[in-house]
Amino acid sequence: MFTELNSILNASPDSFTQGEFILVSVQHSDASFLIHHFLSFYLRARSRVCFLALVQSFSHYSAVSQRLGVNLTQAKDKGQLIFLEGLKESLSHLIPQEERTGSEAMDFLRDPAGGLRSLYQFVHSSLTHSGGGEMVEEEEAWGSPVLLVDDLSVLMSLGVSAGAVLDFSHYCRAMVCSQLQGNMVALVRCSSEEEEDEGDAEGSEWLRRGLTHQCSLTLHVQGLSTGYCRDIHGQDFVNFLLNDVPKTLDFPTRPKAVSERPDFCLTLWAL
Amino acid sequence: MLSELLQGNNTGDFLLLADSCSCSARNLLKSVVVSALNREESVHVLGFETSEEELNQTLNSSLTQRLHFHNAYSDPLGWTDHSAFTVDQFTSEQITHLIKRTVHSKPPLLVIDSLSWILRHASPLAVCRTLQQLKKGGAVRAVVGLLHADMHQRGTVGSVRHLASSVVSISPALKGDEAVAKITKRSKSGKVTQDEVTFSINGDLTLTIHSKQNPPSLKPTEPEEQQTDPTAHLTFNLRLSDAERQAKEKLSLPFVFSKEKKTALLHSTQGSGRILYEPDANDDFDQEDPDDDLDV
């Protein structure tokens, strides 16, 4: 986790607001550093984490988390982390085999128009029941549950309608945030082109708006207009703009610039 | 006008609160609920987007007795077996039946949070028909609905706005904790009044109006701004005294032909050369010669 981000978000692993739905909306940029941050943050906070990883493999997240000081394999073995590796699970659906070994969570791949009910049921069973396997004493000590989704936009590119994604996020929020008083973090990508008639084409921008209405905090990440830049020492910097929109106050917003170096040091720059 | 709307006592009204993702009207909706409860009115809430706990958190315990929350938040699509209220149940018959299950001394207020959720799953025609039936049905005194205007097509938003007797559109104000409300009110006689105010919602969900702005049609003519005097704060003097002004006006400029100068030049004194010009055959007397109109 990046400690500088904690100061912006007014949170620490020991104390953070519960019942929050944090939306990370990304435009023309790469906000994976935020997903890695939240993953390591909540694991350190001893929360029970259900991670729907649809865009990268387990080994990728594991490697990055190791740099941030968290061991994903260990967390998975202890039952703290429930990891849905979307890329791997989808193979069993896309390449039919005699034995069905795929998780039912990815059933929507067979019938994208049917919605994400099975995925929701996977999340529900992961976070409400104790994890399968041996009952370890430590399991009862896990804190409030957390759902991480990376990312929601890829569901649309798999054929699921934006309305179904909104229904899925609604149900997850109702269960995780309101019923279980846990937290939810989801990433959504949006395009910069504004649709001519709002709501006419239910595209990524429409989905982002719908999710913004549902969430309690939006972190908007976009590349700066100056783009990619290199400082005098020859190190590569990528600049981001971070807008946080605390919904509880109803009104926005305080932009800050964040830059990330490839060795995973995060520096804050004043705007 | 905003305060009167929130305190509204008319029957058959439909108040629409329209917001966008840059500015949420949910606190304003809660303010409407609180002011109705304070007036000893019963309120039925169809909660699709907020949970009962979230709503009750902001209310006094004494007020919650008159608040009837219908939970359409946990399972609005019937994905589990125990669903309190689904989006399919949004018909005037079922809502009337729901409301009549509780005994009231007078018709209650119906609050819908939010209409956008219903419009995503039901046809706009059916939703508008239900709203109209609820307005006229008599089972509820009035209907208050929240709509996320940026989530629907313009036609859908327009239809719902048309049904409403009053529409309050929220947008962000310059100051962080305030919002601008554009209000359109249609009275039964057909008269339409518009207003625009800046407001904020306090912690106890009461409304504070900050400034009223005149509606565009009644903008008073502003007095012309005083022209700032450019010679006011200079370190050098640009002004003229009276004697200097007279001397300036008397001065004749060297290349401007005044009458005296012209006659002096044209009627040259004796002895100076005279110029005789006889146009040659080759000369071109151009009728449109631009020099022709010179007075010299």
Side-chain angles (χ1 to χ4, degrees), chain A residues 52-57 61 86-87 150-151 154 189:
Chain A
L52 303 182
L54 304 172
V55 291
Q56 295 281 9
S57 63
Y61 291 108
L87 294 173
D150 182 18
D151 62 54
V154 82
R189 293 184 188 282

Side-chain angles (χ1 to χ4, degrees), chain A residues 21 108 112 115-116 119 149 151-157 159-172 184 186-188 202 206-208 211 214, chain B residues 79 120:
Chain A
F21 173 10
F108 65 88
L116 294 167
L119 189 62
V149 186
D151 62 54
L152 284 173
S153 307
V154 82
L155 293 169
M156 274 178 54
S157 58
V160 182
S161 70
V165 178
L166 275 185
D167 292 338
F168 168 73
S169 66
H170 172 97
Y171 267 85
C172 288
M184 185 169 149
L187 190 140
V188 67
E202 292 185 356
W206 185 87
L207 176 64
R208 185 196 66 83
L211 289 168
Q214 284 181 0
Chain B
W79 282 3
R120 274 206 303 115

Side-chain angles (χ1 to χ4, degrees), chain B residues 176-240:
Chain B
D177 52 354
E178 292 173 3
V180 174
K182 289 200 177 89
I183 307 152
T184 308
K185 188 173 167 187
R186 276 187 207 90
S187 67
K188 290 202 169 77
S189 59
K191 183 178 164 204
V192 178
T193 38
Q194 291 187 320
D195 197 7
E196 192 173 312
V197 295
T198 311
F199 72 97
S200 63
I201 308 276
N202 308 320
D204 60 351
L205 294 179
T206 51
L207 195 70
T208 311
I209 308 278
H210 291 283
S211 74
K212 260 178 92 74
Q213 289 158 35
N214 286 327
S217 53
L218 298 176
K219 213 179 254 187
T221 50
E222 290 169 19
E224 278 192 27
E225 278 182 40
Q226 297 279 341
Q227 290 285 345
T228 47
D229 186 12
T231 58
H233 304 290
L234 296 171
T235 53
F236 45 90
N237 186 16
L238 280 180
R239 293 193 186 87
L240 294 173

Side-chain angles (χ1 to χ4, degrees), chain B residues 274-280 283-285:
Chain B
R274 283 175 68 210
I275 300 167
L276 296 165
Y277 175 65
E278 283 168 16
D280 203 19
D283 280 340
D284 190 7
F285 261 119

Side-chain angles (χ1 to χ4, degrees), chain B residues 80-187:
Chain B
T80 65
D81 290 326
H82 31 269
S83 167
F85 191 90
T86 63
V87 73
D88 298 328
Q89 289 175 275
F90 186 74
T91 59
S92 64
E93 297 85 20
Q94 300 212 35
I95 294 175
T96 312
H97 175 72
L98 198 68
I99 289 172
K100 288 201 165 137
R101 283 208 304 227
T102 349
V103 177
H104 308 100
S105 53
K106 47 185 179 169
L109 179 69
L110 177 66
V111 173
I112 306 172
D113 178 12
S114 67
L115 282 169
S116 286
W117 223 102
I118 308 170
L119 282 168
R120 274 206 303 115
H121 293 92
S123 78
L125 177 64
V127 175
C128 288
R129 190 190 303 134
T130 304
L131 285 171
Q132 181 69 1
Q133 285 166 350
L134 285 170
K135 259 172 72 176
K136 304 292 180 197
V140 297
R141 174 185 71 75
V143 182
V144 180
L146 176 64
L147 183 74
H148 305 304
D150 54 356
M151 291 292 295
H152 308 284
Q153 294 186 30
R154 273 196 287 264
T156 310
V157 176
S159 309
V160 180
R161 284 179 73 114
H162 205 74
L163 268 185
S165 45
S166 321
V167 180
V168 179
S169 298
I170 312 287
S171 49
L174 291 170
K175 244 176 156 189
D177 52 354
E178 292 173 3
V180 174
K182 289 200 177 89
I183 307 152
T184 308
K185 188 173 167 187
R186 276 187 207 90
S187 67

Side-chain angles (χ1 to χ4, degrees), chain A residues 116-117 120-121 163 166-167 170-171 173-174 178 197-200 206 209-210 212-213 247-248 250-252, chain B residues 20-24 27 48-49 73-79 117 120-121 148 150-153 176-179:
Chain A
L116 294 167
R117 190 169 168 174
Y120 164 71
Q121 269 151 3
L166 275 185
D167 292 338
H170 172 97
Y171 267 85
R173 178 180 157 231
S178 305
D197 196 1
E198 293 166 355
D200 194 20
W206 185 87
R209 280 200 291 262
T212 310
H213 279 293
K247 286 291 289 297
T248 45
D250 280 330
F251 313 106
Chain B
S20 63
C21 58
S22 54
C23 193
S24 170
N27 273 356
F48 286 91
E49 289 188 2
Y73 174 70
S74 320
D75 188 9
L77 298 175
W79 282 3
W117 223 102
R120 274 206 303 115
H121 293 92
H148 305 304
D150 54 356
M151 291 292 295
H152 308 284
Q153 294 186 30
D177 52 354
E178 292 173 3

Side-chain angles (χ1 to χ4, degrees), chain A residues 15-75:
Chain A
S15 81
F16 54 88
T17 327
Q18 294 195 315
E20 274 210 317
F21 173 10
I22 301 172
L23 179 72
V24 178
S25 91
V26 188
Q27 190 178 36
H28 290 322
S29 190
D30 177 21
S32 50
F33 71 93
L34 278 173
I35 292 289
H36 297 307
H37 163 81
F38 281 116
L39 179 60
S40 54
F41 178 92
Y42 286 116
L43 284 175
R44 266 183 217 230
R46 296 186 60 80
S47 296
R48 186 104 183 257
V49 177
C50 175
F51 190 6
L52 303 182
L54 304 172
V55 291
Q56 295 281 9
S57 63
F58 178 77
S59 45
H60 169 86
Y61 291 108
S62 188
V64 176
S65 297
Q66 208 129 43
R67 304 288 294 271
L68 295 172
V70 168
N71 188 335
L72 287 195
T73 318
Q74 207 178 56

